[in-house]
Short mmCIF file of all heavy atoms in Angstrom, two decimals:
data_model
loop_
_atom_site.label_atom_id
_atom_site.label_comp_id
_atom_site.label_asym_id
_atom_site.label_seq_id
_atom_site.Cartn_x
_atom_site.Cartn_y
_atom_site.Cartn_z
N ALA A 42 8.04 19.15 18.42
CA ALA A 42 6.68 19.58 18.78
C ALA A 42 5.80 19.43 17.55
O ALA A 42 6.20 19.77 16.43
CB ALA A 42 6.70 21.03 19.25
N HIS A 43 4.60 18.89 17.75
CA HIS A 43 3.73 18.63 16.60
C HIS A 43 2.31 19.17 16.74
O HIS A 43 1.59 19.26 15.77
CB HIS A 43 3.70 17.13 16.31
CG HIS A 43 2.97 16.76 15.07
ND1 HIS A 43 3.39 17.15 13.81
CD2 HIS A 43 1.82 16.08 14.87
CE1 HIS A 43 2.55 16.70 12.90
NE2 HIS A 43 1.58 16.05 13.52
N GLY A 44 1.90 19.51 17.94
CA GLY A 44 0.55 20.02 18.13
C GLY A 44 0.29 20.36 19.58
O GLY A 44 1.03 19.94 20.47
N ALA A 45 -0.76 21.11 19.82
CA ALA A 45 -1.16 21.48 21.18
C ALA A 45 -2.67 21.70 21.19
O ALA A 45 -3.26 22.02 20.16
CB ALA A 45 -0.44 22.74 21.63
N SER A 46 -3.26 21.52 22.35
CA SER A 46 -4.70 21.70 22.47
C SER A 46 -5.06 21.81 23.94
O SER A 46 -4.17 21.82 24.80
CB SER A 46 -5.43 20.52 21.82
OG SER A 46 -6.80 20.78 21.71
N LYS A 47 -6.36 21.86 24.22
CA LYS A 47 -6.90 21.81 25.58
C LYS A 47 -8.08 20.85 25.57
O LYS A 47 -8.78 20.73 24.56
CB LYS A 47 -7.39 23.19 26.03
CG LYS A 47 -6.30 24.11 26.49
CD LYS A 47 -6.89 25.32 27.19
CE LYS A 47 -5.76 26.11 27.80
NZ LYS A 47 -6.23 27.13 28.71
N THR A 48 -8.32 20.22 26.71
CA THR A 48 -9.46 19.33 26.80
C THR A 48 -10.75 20.14 26.80
O THR A 48 -10.81 21.25 27.34
CB THR A 48 -9.39 18.45 28.06
OG1 THR A 48 -9.25 19.27 29.21
CG2 THR A 48 -8.23 17.47 27.97
N ASP A 49 -11.80 19.57 26.20
CA ASP A 49 -13.09 20.25 26.12
C ASP A 49 -13.92 19.97 27.38
O ASP A 49 -13.42 19.37 28.34
CB ASP A 49 -13.82 19.85 24.84
CG ASP A 49 -14.18 18.36 24.76
OD1 ASP A 49 -14.15 17.65 25.80
OD2 ASP A 49 -14.50 17.91 23.65
N ALA A 50 -15.17 20.37 27.38
CA ALA A 50 -16.05 20.21 28.54
C ALA A 50 -16.25 18.75 28.92
O ALA A 50 -16.55 18.44 30.08
CB ALA A 50 -17.40 20.86 28.27
N ASP A 51 -16.06 17.85 27.97
CA ASP A 51 -16.17 16.41 28.23
C ASP A 51 -14.82 15.80 28.56
O ASP A 51 -14.68 14.59 28.62
CB ASP A 51 -16.80 15.73 27.00
CG ASP A 51 -17.33 14.34 27.33
OD1 ASP A 51 -17.76 14.10 28.48
OD2 ASP A 51 -17.29 13.49 26.42
N GLY A 52 -13.79 16.64 28.74
CA GLY A 52 -12.44 16.16 29.07
C GLY A 52 -11.71 15.56 27.89
O GLY A 52 -10.65 14.96 28.05
N ARG A 53 -12.25 15.74 26.68
CA ARG A 53 -11.68 15.11 25.49
C ARG A 53 -10.87 16.09 24.66
O ARG A 53 -11.12 17.28 24.66
CB ARG A 53 -12.78 14.51 24.63
CG ARG A 53 -13.51 13.39 25.35
CD ARG A 53 -14.53 12.68 24.49
NE ARG A 53 -15.17 11.64 25.26
CZ ARG A 53 -14.67 10.42 25.44
NH1 ARG A 53 -13.53 10.08 24.89
NH2 ARG A 53 -15.31 9.53 26.16
#
Side-chain angles (χ1 to χ4, degrees):
H43 186 64
S46 191
K47 281 192 172 192
T48 55
D49 63 16
D51 197 30
R53 296 185 180 276

